[in-house]
């Protein structure tokens, strides 16, 4: 004879009530009875795993959590509980792996129950503490083996920063033409730009010329223009918008004589810059105005 749904529901409520009030043995017996009656749902298995954990039966608790994750690999509660188990037994790396998995899969905090939200915060704090300790360990280890960021390979130093999450990896993302196998260099050495000093030295003159132009704001035109021979889809509201305007000295590969005449010192400062000249395309040299 199959048990009635009402009796199973009553047993389930009793099991969770026993777990909530700290009666781990009573919860364990009831959850096992529910499973024996054919209910191996995720919630029941999580309750059984929690009861086993409170009783110190780690092996059964972990086996039950594995069953939960086989049914729901992204179950936050099961991931956190496995992390707790490994942390308790000193396997910090395994614990962090489960905590990080839960944190990555977690929805916005307002969508979580208060208890789960608090447990995720604890997991986050544990991950942060572990990261700080590992960073200190790694720094000391590398230093003991002769690594000095001031003298050693800058590429290796950056690799450590990337591994520790102190820097981000930036890939080239051209809009029109991808030239393969270019090095992904995040910051270039100043020595590679011998013409930069002349521009910096002329910054006061360039600013002075710009200030004169700013006296006549109508000389600036919207930077993003509309074209009759192109679609003008304006998803960002920037097309023909004067809030982002430009004063071009060179535009699309051609000098703008009337504007260039007003900024001779600016163009003189740029004279040694190795500009790219493509008819109808480049260079474009401008003052950009964001209102």
């Amino acid at each position: 004879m199959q048990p009635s749904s009402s009796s199973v529901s009553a047993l389930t409520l009793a099991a969770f009530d026993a777990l909530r009030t700290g009666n781990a043995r009573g919860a364990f017996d009831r959850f096992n009875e529910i499973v024996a009656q054919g209910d191996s749902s995720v919630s029941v298995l999580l309750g059984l795993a929690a009861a086993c954990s409170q009783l110190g039966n780690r092996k059964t608790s972990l086996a039950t959590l594995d069953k939960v994750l086989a049914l729901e690999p992204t179950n936050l509660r099961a991931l956190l509980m496995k992390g707790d188990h490994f942390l308790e037994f000193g396997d910090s790396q395994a614990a962090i792996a489960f905590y990080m998995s839960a944190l990555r899969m977690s929805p916005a905090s307002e969508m979580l129950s208060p208890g789960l939200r608090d447990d995720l915060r604890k997991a986050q704090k544990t991950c942060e503490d572990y990261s700080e300790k590992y960073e200190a360990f790694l720094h000391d280890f590398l230093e003991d083996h002769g690594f000095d960021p001031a003298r050693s390979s800058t590429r290796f130093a950056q690799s450590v920063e990337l591994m520790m999450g102190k820097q981000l990896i930036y890939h080239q993302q051209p809009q029109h033409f991808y030239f393969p196998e270019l090095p992904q260099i995040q910051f270039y050495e100043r020595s590679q730009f011998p013409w930069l000093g002349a521009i910096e030295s002329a910054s006061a003159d360039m600013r002075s010329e710009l200030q004169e132009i700013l006296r006549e704001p109508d000389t600036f035109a919207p930077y993003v223009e509309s074209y009759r021979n192109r679609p003008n889809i304006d998803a960002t509201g920037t097309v023909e918008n004067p809030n982002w305007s430009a004063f071009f000295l060179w535009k699309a590969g051609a000098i703008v004589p009337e504007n260039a005449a007003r900024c001779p010192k600016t163009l003189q400062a740029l004279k040694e810059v190795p500009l790219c000249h493509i008819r109808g395309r480049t260079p474009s040299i401008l003052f950009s105005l964001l209102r």
Side-chain angles (χ1 to χ4, degrees):
M1 180 177 179
Q2 294 293 326
S4 67
S5 59
S6 59
S7 65
V8 173
S9 297
L11 189 58
T12 301
L13 289 173
F16 279 107
D17 187 60
L19 189 64
R20 180 180 57 81
T21 57
N23 181 7
R25 172 53 62 183
F28 174 81
D29 292 340
R30 288 174 174 84
F31 280 123
N32 269 321
E33 186 177 347
I34 295 168
V35 172
Q37 292 179 5
D39 184 355
S40 295
S41 62
V42 165
S43 61
V44 168
L45 291 176
L46 282 172
L48 178 58
C52 290
S53 179
Q54 291 182 19
L55 291 170
N57 190 343
R58 308 299 181 189
K59 184 177 180 180
T60 303
S61 179
L62 283 173
T64 306
L65 290 172
D66 286 338
K67 292 179 181 178
V68 173
L69 291 172
L71 295 171
E72 290 185 8
T74 62
N75 187 282
L76 299 182
R77 177 58 65 192
L79 291 169
L80 290 171
M81 289 177 69
K82 284 207 72 169
D84 291 342
H85 279 293
F86 286 114
L87 189 66
E88 183 177 349
F89 284 97
D91 191 345
S92 297
Q93 289 184 327
I96 295 301
F98 280 98
Y99 287 155
M100 289 300 296
S101 182
L103 290 165
R104 283 193 298 268
M105 297 175 186
S106 174
S109 60
E110 59 268 18
M111 299 176 63
L112 301 170
S113 66
L116 189 55
R117 188 161 55 238
D118 290 342
D119 288 343
L120 282 166
R121 287 186 184 133
K122 292 177 185 176
Q124 178 72 51
K125 182 65 167 56
T126 300
C127 291
E128 291 171 354
D129 292 344
Y130 178 82
S131 180
E132 289 179 4
K133 292 177 182 177
Y134 180 70
E135 184 177 353
F137 161 78
L138 185 62
H139 177 273
D140 293 342
F141 178 87
L142 293 174
E143 190 177 70
D144 291 344
H145 288 75
F147 176 69
D148 179 0
R151 296 184 295 103
S152 303
S153 164
T154 55
R155 291 175 63 195
F156 180 75
Q158 187 180 18
S159 74
V160 175
E161 292 284 295
L162 290 168
M163 182 181 68
M164 299 306 303
K166 302 294 184 181
Q167 291 190 31
L168 297 177
I169 299 174
Y170 291 92
H171 299 286
Q172 58 164 317
Q173 295 178 314
Q175 295 184 11
H176 301 294
F177 180 69
Y178 183 89
F179 195 81
E181 299 183 28
L182 292 177
Q184 305 292 350
I185 300 175
Q186 186 171 351
F187 296 102
Y188 287 80
E189 295 296 329
R190 182 185 175 90
S191 59
Q192 296 177 257
F193 307 92
W195 41 264
L196 187 58
I199 297 177
E200 291 176 331
S201 298
S203 60
D205 291 335
M206 297 165 72
R207 184 183 299 110
S208 178
E209 291 179 338
L210 172 60
Q211 287 172 338
E212 288 299 316
I213 298 166
L214 287 171
R215 296 177 188 274
E216 305 171 37
D218 290 342
T219 59
F220 283 77
Y223 177 71
V224 183
E225 301 173 287
S226 60
Y227 297 92
R228 296 186 64 183
N229 62 344
R230 294 289 188 275
N232 291 292
I233 300 171
D234 189 16
T236 59
T238 55
V239 175
E240 300 295 346
N241 188 337
N243 286 329
W244 183 12
S245 297
F247 183 84
F248 282 91
L249 308 183
W250 279 70
K251 185 176 182 181
I255 195 166
V256 183
E258 63 274 21
N259 291 351
R262 301 184 63 175
C263 302
K265 293 179 180 178
T266 298
L267 289 177
Q268 180 62 32
L270 298 172
K271 190 175 181 179
E272 300 302 321
V273 177
L275 299 172
C276 177
H277 288 267
I278 301 175
R279 183 182 301 173
R281 290 283 186 177
T282 66
S284 285
I285 301 173
L286 64 142
F287 290 112
S288 180
L289 175 60
L290 296 175
R291 300 184 191 277

